[in-house]
């Protein structure tokens, strides 16, 4: 009986799993495969352009199809579906996920404010990782040489820049190729100028819709992509039967040999067009975080692979008997009654495919931002339910302008295809190189296995890369130019931020100086909490001494807040806060480190102040318990940090209750408790202008739990903390001016004084990205000579 119940339960569980897997696989068509599924629009047109026109006959067409088939089999199916999808970073994929894995399993990270406590995060190591394994000589060699680690970061950033290039070229070529069907004299016979104009209108509309949430629209169009794939698969099968059933013999790689014997160097150059058949493959890995590896594999093997192979085979069969139709082979191979339905579906599929890569571009920029390699931009979380769905307004409009510039500047699908192919194959090559390192350091496999992977797939991609490089003068220069511009921006920003951080690190305020000031810090301590934002995770920044010497009074409780990124995709909310103490207890100085992963979005946390107070109270209690067990309450704990769970309200010694409106009016704000009429009027204006966020903000008051037995000294410290909270919270941030030293060389002076300064002036301020309320913000200027 028990076995029957267990069998029924397992069967129900299996049904639920299959149902969930099928649903995720269906949804992935609208997000992951839009770009890959639209490749048949332009692959043959680009491959057979140029000098290969002189060789067009059945043998050439068969050889070209054989090349497309085996490329499509080896790269997307064998490399990505079989191997690379297994190298996820806690469910996340893409070049940055691989780099993040490497940084955690080997000391490759260049982020300056990393701590040993970060390694204790539950998401830091892969399950089953042997942390006691002896490091290999190769690993020690890479960790020892900083220049090699810098080169690795630059290599990853170059791949990221090429993804941004993809974000420019994919929408342009997809939309332009779909609209180009109107050039056929049998339909409307529009001129190239009108085709470009209509494509530009579609592109503007596409980018104008991005703020609504890319994947919300993509999920809605998943049925369109499925219908598109089934349609082109059936049309391909029809063309095989009608025009040339012998095309099946071209599945033999023997035809690839015959192709190159006949075409020689011209055939080699045509590889730049063949690789367009696998563009969009990287999206399978990059968008892994929104689905599962099993669902992406199911969608590819079950629908994508057979439908696209049939379509490429059908086009080849059609072209083998209609060689003059090369200029627009896809649309000319469609039976006349089906032209307009297929045209509409192709246009919609091109839009969906474009949205997928635009979304990936937003994610890449966000990850660069987390690494400190991109100027601060506004990141909007577009989905309440799907984690990681973001929109970046500045990047969106820059992409739109660049797309329009490419469409109007080139006006030719073949030239744009040359640029597009180079960008895509570069990203794939970067992934192959990173994957070979992951096999050694993360999967802890033999070096020989890694070399086999690198040599086999690297050789295939190097062949296509060499062909794409040959087309640099014919449009291939575009992604290189875009990559150079974005790499320059990333490098200058990273260099300036790092020099500024090193200045803070080398000019920290000594603890002896703070102790000599005494508990009052040599100035008046007034009611309230002062949150001093810094990038340092240890010590006191130089700007603090600037505050103390320039301000006549300081807050009763001081908290040094560091908001930092760690090389994991997500940091669990319960592990986000690290709390510590600075100096003796009577100084009432604390440190709070807020940790985010590279895929986390730093949303406006309306309860940050409440979380902070609760976390500090919990830390005070934990510290007292440890001191009691050691028998000395006065034991020094300087430098010790503790993870405090923000969702756990037990053990804080506090009780929380919602404030009434009268309570809130009485003293939840620094300006409300002030006797200044000016400050009170400013607060009223602020609340009127931000009525929505103020009303959403949960007003709470903390009280010491009278029923709990608390040490008197702990009670005094908690009482001071709560009094300061009731008086109000002020956010103190340094308004820094970074200048190069007078003895700096020309390049450094230009990079810091002009390039970095320009980027700082034209990006979002730190107070905006940290979501600091303006009414509570205090900025103090300071010049950094780096």
């Amino acid at each position: 009986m028990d076995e029957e119940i267990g069998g029924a339960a397992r069967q129900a569980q299996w049904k639920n799993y299959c149902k969930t897997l099928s649903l995720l696989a269906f949804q992935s068509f609208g997000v992951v495969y839009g770009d890959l599924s639209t490749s048949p629009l332009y692959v043959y047109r680009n491959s057979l352009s140029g000098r290969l026109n002189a060789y067009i006959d059945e043998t050439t067409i068969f050889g070209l199809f054989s090349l497309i088939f085996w490329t499509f089999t080896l790269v997307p199916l064998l490399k990505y579906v079989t191997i690379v999808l297994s190298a996820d970073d806690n469910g996340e994929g893409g070049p940055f996920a691989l780099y993040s894995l490497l940084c955690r399993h080997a000391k490759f990270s260049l982020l300056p404010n990393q701590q040993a406590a970060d390694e204790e995060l539950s998401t830091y190591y892969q399950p089953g990782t042997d942390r006691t394994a002896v490091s290999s000589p190769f690993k020690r060699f890479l960790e020892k040489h900083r220049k090699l680690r810098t080169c690795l970061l630059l290599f990853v950033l170059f791949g990221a820049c090429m993804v941004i290039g993809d974000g420019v070229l994919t929408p342009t070529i997809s939309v332009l190729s779909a609209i180009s069907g109107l050039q056929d004299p049998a339909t409307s016979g529009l001129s190239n100028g009108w085709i470009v104009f209509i494509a530009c209108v579609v592109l503007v509309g596409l980018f104008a819709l991005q703020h609504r949430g890319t994947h919300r629209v993509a999920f809605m169009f998943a049925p369109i992509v499925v219908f598109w794939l089934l349609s082109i698969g059936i049309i391909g099968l029809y063309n095989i039967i009608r025009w040339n059933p012998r095309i099946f013999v071209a599945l033999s790689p023997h035809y690839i040999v015959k192709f190159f014997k006949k075409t020689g160097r011209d055939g080699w150059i045509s590889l730049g067009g063949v690789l367009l058949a696998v563009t969009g493959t990287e999206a399978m890995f990059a968008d892994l975080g929104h689905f599962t590896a099993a669902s992406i594999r199911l969608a590819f093997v079950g629908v994508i692979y057979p439908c696209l192979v049939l379509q490429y085979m059908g086009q080849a069969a059609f072209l083998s008997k209609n060689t003059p139709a090369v200029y627009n082979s896809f649309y000319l191979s469609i039976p006349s009654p089906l032209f307009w339905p297929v045209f509409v579906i192709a246009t919609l599929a091109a839009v969906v495919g474009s949205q997928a890569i635009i979304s990936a571009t937003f994610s890449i920029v966000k990850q660069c931002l987390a690494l400190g390699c991109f100027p601060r931009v506004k990141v909007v979380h577009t989905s309440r339910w799907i984690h990681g769905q973001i929109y970046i307004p500045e990047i969106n409009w820059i992409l739109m302008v660049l797309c329009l510039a490419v469409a109007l500047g080139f006006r030719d699908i073949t030239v744009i295809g040359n640029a597009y192919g180079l960008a895509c194959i570069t990203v794939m090559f970067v992934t192959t190189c990173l994957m070979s390192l992951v096999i050694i350091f993360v999967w802890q496999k033999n070096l020989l296995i890694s070399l086999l992977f690198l040599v086999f797939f690297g050789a295939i991609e190097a062949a296509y890369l060499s062909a794409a490089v040959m087309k640099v003068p014919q449009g291939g220069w575009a992604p290189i130019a875009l990559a150079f511009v974005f790499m320059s921006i990333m490098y200058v920003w990273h260099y300036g931020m790092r020099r500024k951080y090193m200045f803070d690190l080398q000019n920290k305020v000594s603890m002896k100086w703070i102790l000599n000031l005494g508990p009052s810090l040599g100035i008046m301590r007034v009611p309230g909490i002062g949150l001093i934002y810094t990038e340092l995770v240890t010590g006191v920044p130089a700007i603090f001494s600037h505050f103390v010497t320039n301000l006549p009074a300081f807050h009763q409780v001081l908290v040094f807040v560091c908001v930092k990124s760690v090389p994991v995709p997500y940091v669990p909310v319960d592990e986000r806060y690290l709390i510590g103490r600075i100096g003796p207890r009577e100084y009432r100085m604390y440190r709070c480190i807020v940790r985010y992963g590279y895929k986390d979005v730093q949303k406006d946390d309306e309860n940050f102040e409440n979380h902070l107070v609760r976390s500090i109270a919990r830390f005070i209690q934990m510290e007292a318990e440890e001191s009691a067990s050691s028998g000395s309450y006065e034991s020094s704990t300087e430098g010790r940090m503790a993870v405090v769970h923000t969702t756990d309200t037990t053990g804080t010694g506090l009780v929380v209750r919602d404030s009434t409106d009268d309570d809130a009016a009485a003293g939840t704000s620094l300006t409300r408790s002030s006797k200044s009429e000016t400050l009170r009027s400013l607060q009223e204006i602020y609340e009127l202008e931000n009525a929505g966020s103020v009303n959403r903000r949960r007003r709470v008051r903390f009280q010491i739990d009278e029923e709990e037995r608390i040490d008197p000294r702990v009670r005094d410290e908690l009482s001071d903390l709560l009094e300061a909270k009731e008086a109000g919270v002020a956010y103190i941030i340094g308004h820094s001016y970074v200048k190069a030293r007078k003895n700096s060389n020309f390049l450094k002076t230009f990079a810091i004084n002009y390039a970095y300064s320009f980027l700082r002036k034209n990006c979002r301020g730190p107070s905006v990205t940290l979501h600091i309320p303006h009414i509570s913000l205090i900025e103090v200027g300071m010049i950094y000579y780096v």
Side-chain angles (χ1 to χ4, degrees):
M1 186 69 179
D2 291 339
E3 290 181 2
E4 290 179 4
I5 294 172
R10 283 192 297 272
Q11 189 175 7
Q13 191 176 14
W14 173 251
K15 285 182 179 179
N16 287 334
Y17 171 76
C18 291
K19 183 179 178 181
T20 303
L21 184 65
S22 301
L23 180 63
L24 285 173
F26 175 74
Q27 291 175 335
S28 71
F29 289 109
V31 179
V32 177
Y33 292 116
D35 184 14
L36 189 63
S37 65
T38 55
S39 294
L41 287 167
Y42 43 77
V43 169
Y44 282 104
R45 177 174 180 169
N46 280 72
S47 301
L48 293 168
S49 63
R51 294 181 183 177
L52 210 63
N53 254 314
Y55 302 94
I56 294 180
D57 59 15
E58 185 177 279
T59 303
T60 304
I61 299 296
F62 277 29
L64 192 61
F65 165 69
S66 189
L67 264 173
I68 292 170
F69 171 76
W70 284 105
T71 303
F72 199 68
T73 301
L74 292 175
V75 178
L77 182 62
L78 183 59
K79 175 189 166 184
Y80 279 89
V81 171
T82 308
I83 302 173
V84 175
L85 284 181
S86 302
D88 65 291
D89 181 13
N90 294 289
E92 294 298 322
F96 270 101
L98 297 177
Y99 180 69
S100 170
L101 280 173
L102 291 171
C103 287
R104 301 203 305 272
H105 291 79
K107 297 175 183 177
F108 294 160
S109 178
L110 292 175
L111 289 174
N113 54 3
Q114 299 303 292
Q115 302 168 275
D118 297 337
E119 297 184 20
E120 302 304 319
L121 288 167
S122 59
T123 54
Y124 199 85
Y125 286 104
Q126 292 280 84
T129 300
D130 184 9
R131 296 169 62 177
T132 61
V134 179
S135 61
S136 64
F138 181 49
K139 179 180 177 182
R140 291 195 298 270
F141 175 76
L142 291 176
E143 290 176 342
K144 182 180 177 181
H145 292 82
R146 181 180 176 81
K147 288 184 178 179
L148 292 176
R149 289 183 286 138
T150 303
C151 289
L152 179 63
L153 175 62
L154 291 175
F155 188 61
V156 174
L157 290 179
F158 181 69
C161 290
M162 282 298 184
V163 173
I164 297 173
D166 266 359
V168 173
L169 297 166
T170 299
T172 310
I173 193 170
S174 297
V175 173
L176 206 55
S177 298
I179 304 297
S180 67
L182 297 176
Q183 281 183 306
D184 185 7
T187 54
S188 61
L190 291 179
S191 66
N192 190 55
W194 277 106
I195 297 296
V196 172
F197 173 76
I198 296 171
C200 289
V201 171
V202 173
L203 286 170
V204 171
L206 170 63
F207 284 99
L209 287 173
Q210 291 301 311
H211 72 281
R212 299 187 63 85
T214 308
H215 290 75
R216 190 179 304 171
V217 180
F219 280 143
M220 185 174 67
F221 279 109
I224 298 294
V225 177
V226 173
F227 190 60
W228 158 257
L229 286 164
L230 295 176
S231 300
I232 62 175
I234 293 168
I235 290 171
L237 186 61
Y238 164 81
N239 284 329
I240 293 169
I241 296 168
R242 180 183 175 186
W243 294 107
N244 197 346
R246 284 190 63 252
I247 188 66
F248 281 99
V249 301
L251 294 175
S252 168
H254 173 65
Y255 279 86
I256 297 177
V257 178
K258 292 174 70 176
F259 173 81
F260 282 119
K261 278 184 177 179
K262 181 176 183 179
T263 59
R265 184 175 182 274
D266 295 333
W268 186 268
I269 294 173
S270 73
L271 289 177
V274 173
L275 71 87
L276 294 178
V278 295
T279 54
T281 301
E282 188 69 27
M284 283 195 292
F285 187 45
D287 288 326
L288 182 59
H290 307 143
F291 305 97
T292 61
S295 64
I296 290 176
R297 286 177 173 131
L298 176 63
F300 185 86
V301 175
V303 179
I304 297 290
Y305 187 77
C307 286
L308 289 183
V309 168
L310 283 174
Q311 170 55 214
Y312 288 125
M313 192 181 288
Q315 267 198 73
F318 170 79
L319 280 172
S320 66
K321 302 299 181 181
N322 300 272
T323 52
V326 165
Y327 74 94
N328 202 2
S329 60
F330 175 80
Y331 282 111
L332 293 176
S333 68
I334 298 170
S336 300
L338 298 178
F339 175 84
W340 285 108
V342 171
F343 172 77
V344 172
I345 299 168
T347 305
L348 292 174
V351 169
V352 174
S354 302
Q355 286 192 331
I357 194 64
I358 292 168
S359 176
T361 305
F362 292 156
S363 296
I364 284 288
V365 171
K366 169 68 179 67
Q367 291 164 16
C368 291
L369 195 63
L371 280 173
C373 295
F374 205 86
R376 292 181 293 266
V377 290
K378 182 180 181 181
V379 179
V380 181
H381 200 266
T382 57
S383 175
R384 191 176 300 173
W385 301 278
I386 305 172
H387 199 70
Q389 303 302 304
I390 59 172
Y391 165 69
I392 304 176
E394 295 95 331
I395 299 300
N396 183 64
W397 302 122
I398 289 172
L399 289 180
M400 187 191 78
V401 171
L402 291 174
C403 279
L404 295 177
V406 169
L408 294 170
F410 289 141
R411 306 168 70 90
D412 185 350
I413 294 171
T414 301
V415 177
I416 298 172
N418 295 339
Y420 183 37
L422 180 59
C424 291
I425 197 64
T426 303
V427 176
M428 291 181 192
F429 188 71
V430 168
T431 298
T432 298
C433 295
L434 292 175
M435 190 66 207
S436 63
L437 294 176
V438 167
I439 291 171
I440 303 173
F441 300 130
V442 181
W443 291 356
Q444 298 175 351
K445 301 295 182 183
N446 193 287
L447 180 63
L448 183 62
I449 297 174
S450 173
L451 286 174
L452 283 173
F453 178 87
L454 180 62
V455 170
F456 182 74
F457 291 108
I460 294 170
E461 288 161 1
Y464 283 105
L465 185 60
S466 65
V469 168
M470 290 181 185
K471 295 191 175 183
V472 166
Q474 291 85 40
W477 57 267
I480 296 175
L482 286 171
F484 175 77
V485 171
F486 281 103
M487 277 286 286
S488 300
I489 291 171
M490 289 179 182
Y491 181 78
V492 167
W493 183 262
H494 181 73
Y495 178 75
M497 292 288 287
R498 187 167 183 83
R499 298 303 302 178
K500 180 176 175 292
Y501 179 85
M502 295 307 295
F503 179 92
D504 271 336
L505 198 63
Q506 294 163 5
N507 294 275
K508 290 190 294 187
V509 176
S510 69
M511 187 53 63
K512 183 179 178 181
W513 182 79
I514 293 176
L515 293 175
N516 288 338
L517 292 177
S520 68
L521 299 178
I523 53 177
M524 179 72 69
R525 299 292 287 269
V526 296
I529 297 178
L531 303 183
I532 303 173
Y533 280 81
T534 174
E535 293 177 4
L536 294 180
V537 293
T538 59
V540 177
I543 204 164
F544 176 70
S545 62
H546 198 61
F547 290 154
V548 171
T549 53
N550 286 277
L551 296 177
F554 230 82
H555 298 83
Q556 177 184 357
V557 174
L558 291 178
V559 184
F560 291 85
V561 180
C562 173
V563 179
K564 61 175 256 188
S565 293
V566 288
V568 296
Y570 304 107
V571 175
V573 176
D574 266 350
E575 301 176 42
R576 181 154 290 160
Y577 288 81
L578 271 174
I579 303 294
R581 185 189 295 280
I582 298 177
R585 289 176 173 83
E586 59 269 20
Y587 280 59
R588 304 297 190 249
M589 293 169 62
Y590 309 93
R591 185 186 308 284
C592 173
I593 298 174
V594 189
R595 301 179 290 184
Y596 287 95
Y598 61 82
K599 295 280 280 187
D600 278 321
V601 176
Q602 299 177 26
K603 295 183 290 185
D604 184 6
D605 189 352
E606 295 148 359
N607 295 313
F608 173 69
E609 295 170 10
N610 298 331
H611 286 322
L612 183 63
V613 169
R614 193 181 294 123
S615 300
I616 293 174
R618 176 70 182 124
F619 172 79
I620 293 169
Q621 289 281 66
M622 290 167 59
E623 189 182 53
E625 290 167 6
E626 290 184 8
S627 298
S629 63
S630 66
S632 173
Y633 184 77
E634 300 301 329
S635 61
S636 174
T637 55
E638 166 62 26
R640 176 189 174 278
M641 305 292 293
V643 177
V644 178
H645 301 295
T646 55
T647 57
D648 183 10
T649 58
T650 60
T652 61
L654 305 179
V655 291
V656 184
R657 69 180 181 86
D658 289 330
S659 293
T660 62
D661 290 337
D662 291 336
D663 290 334
T668 56
S669 159
L670 174 64
T671 54
R672 283 295 191 201
S673 63
S674 175
K675 296 179 181 179
S676 167
E677 292 290 338
T678 305
L679 287 178
R680 283 203 296 270
S681 64
L682 283 173
Q683 176 70 14
E684 290 170 3
I685 293 169
Y686 174 78
E687 290 181 355
L688 284 171
E689 291 178 350
N690 300 273
S693 61
V694 170
N695 291 335
R696 288 195 308 269
R697 192 180 296 269
R698 185 189 176 202
R699 298 179 184 271
V700 299
R701 296 190 71 178
F702 295 97
Q703 292 179 336
I704 298 176
D705 191 350
E706 299 298 336
E707 297 180 3
E708 191 174 337
R709 294 180 60 185
I710 303 175
D711 186 284
R713 288 168 293 190
V714 173
R715 186 179 292 273
D716 288 343
E717 191 168 1
L718 291 176
S719 178
D720 288 346
L721 179 65
L722 298 190
E723 285 177 12
K725 172 66 170 68
E726 290 301 309
V729 179
Y731 297 78
I732 303 160
I733 193 167
H735 190 86
S736 55
Y737 298 89
V738 183
K739 301 284 185 182
R741 291 175 182 166
K742 292 183 179 179
N743 59 348
S744 302
N745 59 45
F746 171 77
L747 284 176
K748 181 179 178 181
T749 302
F750 177 80
I752 296 295
N753 291 357
Y754 298 98
Y756 180 68
S757 177
F758 174 81
L759 292 174
R760 278 182 63 86
K761 288 176 183 176
N762 291 278
C763 72
R764 301 260 169 179
S767 62
V768 177
T769 54
L770 293 169
H771 304 287
I772 296 174
H774 292 293
I775 194 69
S776 306
L777 176 64
I778 300 172
E779 286 190 283
V780 177
M782 183 173 176
I783 298 177
Y784 287 73
Y785 287 102
V786 298

